[in-house]
Amino acid sequence: MSNEIRVRFAPSPTGYLHVGSLRTALYNYLYARKTCGKFVLRIEDTDRSRYVEGAVENLIETLQAVGLEYDEGPDKGGDFGPYFQSKRTDIYKKYLQELLDKDAAYYCFCTEDDLKKMREEQIANKMDIRYDGRCRNLSKEQIQEKLDQAKPYVIRAKIPDEGEVVFFDIVRERVNIKWETVDDQVLIKSDGYPTYHLANVVDDHLMEITHVIRGEEWLSSVPKHLFLYQALGWKPPKMCHLPLLLNPDKSKLSKRQGDVAVEDFLKKGYLPEALLNFIALLGWHAKGDDELFTMDKLEKEFSLKRISKAGAVFDIEKLNWMNGHYLRNLELGYIAIKAKSCFIEAGFDISDNEKYLKIVDVARNRISTLSEITEAVKPFFIVSTYSEEDQQIINNKNSQKLFTFWLENLKALDFITEDSINQLLKRSTEELGIKGKDLYFPLRLALFGSVHGPELPVIFDILGKNEVINRLQKLVK
Ligand code: GLU
């Protein structure tokens, strides 16, 4: 074994990538990059009852969409494959046999019905609900007899009854858990597939994983895993359990309170850069107060030591703010490419690339997600309809004077420049006595469909002389 750091993201494909899983993937990725280690993608798909068609492809696509590239994985290969657990069942069987031989595991022939009764009795007697170990001491002959009768069985771990397990977690530090609270975990189900616990331990060992970085919900499984490591004579990896993600009301982040699927965030127009920056800060913080991190900066500054124990609140307002920041600050051409499908979907003509870039530049200063982009600049493509209130402004005597004045003067110009617009603004005040709101609101209404909006020179530049004249002409009574 080399000294190389090897971490893994080990999702069970459930159909979509949860934002919490994205954080797990991101922290693993960052730790691997920071330490020049390897980041492995392993698909934990042994629960056949939860199999979802297309889930793996979807997961891989989402990781690619946000740019979390792994070094080894199902579609990448590597020296430690296969990277699908469903393709490793023979490997698990071998270690299962070893556990049976070492008396660290046992056959359990209890039926669903037996287990149900056991549970009911335990509830009635106010006892902890757990497997009571009744198959632990079956003799070899009894086991053989039941096997000969082809009775369905599972294999369970023979977890110690007493004492406690103490381990060190990078985030939670010293953790101790009493063995009596740990169930005799099923290792192989009656369908012959291993449970998560067995497959996870075997694979982390065989794939030479050095650090297990995953969500806090798995902390209580560590004793079961450590039991298996010890029984098989293996050194366990270092453990690092990430704090829970919470809704603003401090409840566990759930689908009920909003989106949790990464692909939904992307579809809604959040940029991968913003999403990763935001997710990185859910449970980790840098040395200073910095909140804006490019991936490069994250790769340099990330450390497991700065992960906090306290649950991290998923604050959508903060994500919106961050997304707005990236929309405004990333390369204009990049944002324009990202936004293209929105414009095409809206049926807007963006064939003039120079004009399109100008429009995107205006838009990105006015939105927090890409999905708002076409709405923000719709007036450049479609002449607006006016509310009664707008009509009043348009029909107002001063506004009409203004439109006529501008029409006459614009027609006389060969080119409309920023300078000529400023001149006209000045002259509107000097010659017509119109200024402030009375000057800007009607003009913006006429050209951009709303009293607030981009600066007039920007609107003029994008619409062009002919369209400006058209729009004004229509409103002159
Ligand atoms: N397959 C588990 C999951 O879906 C992986 C947990 C772990 O990383 O050990 O989250």
Side-chain angles (χ1 to χ4, degrees), residues 8 10-12 42 44 196 200 204 212-214 218 225:
R8 82 315 192 261
S12 302
R42 181 176 76 224
E44 302 210 323
Y196 152 76
N200 189 272
D204 280 346
V212 166
I213 304 169
R214 64 185 168 197
W218 299 105
H225 298 180

Side-chain angles (χ1 to χ4, degrees), residues 26 42 44 77 99 104 235 268 277 351 404-405 438 440 452:
L26 175 63
R42 181 176 76 224
E44 302 210 323
L99 290 166
K235 181 173 172 245
K268 280 198 171 160
N277 187 158
S351 52
T404 314
F405 176 81
D438 296 339
Y440 289 95
H452 298 291

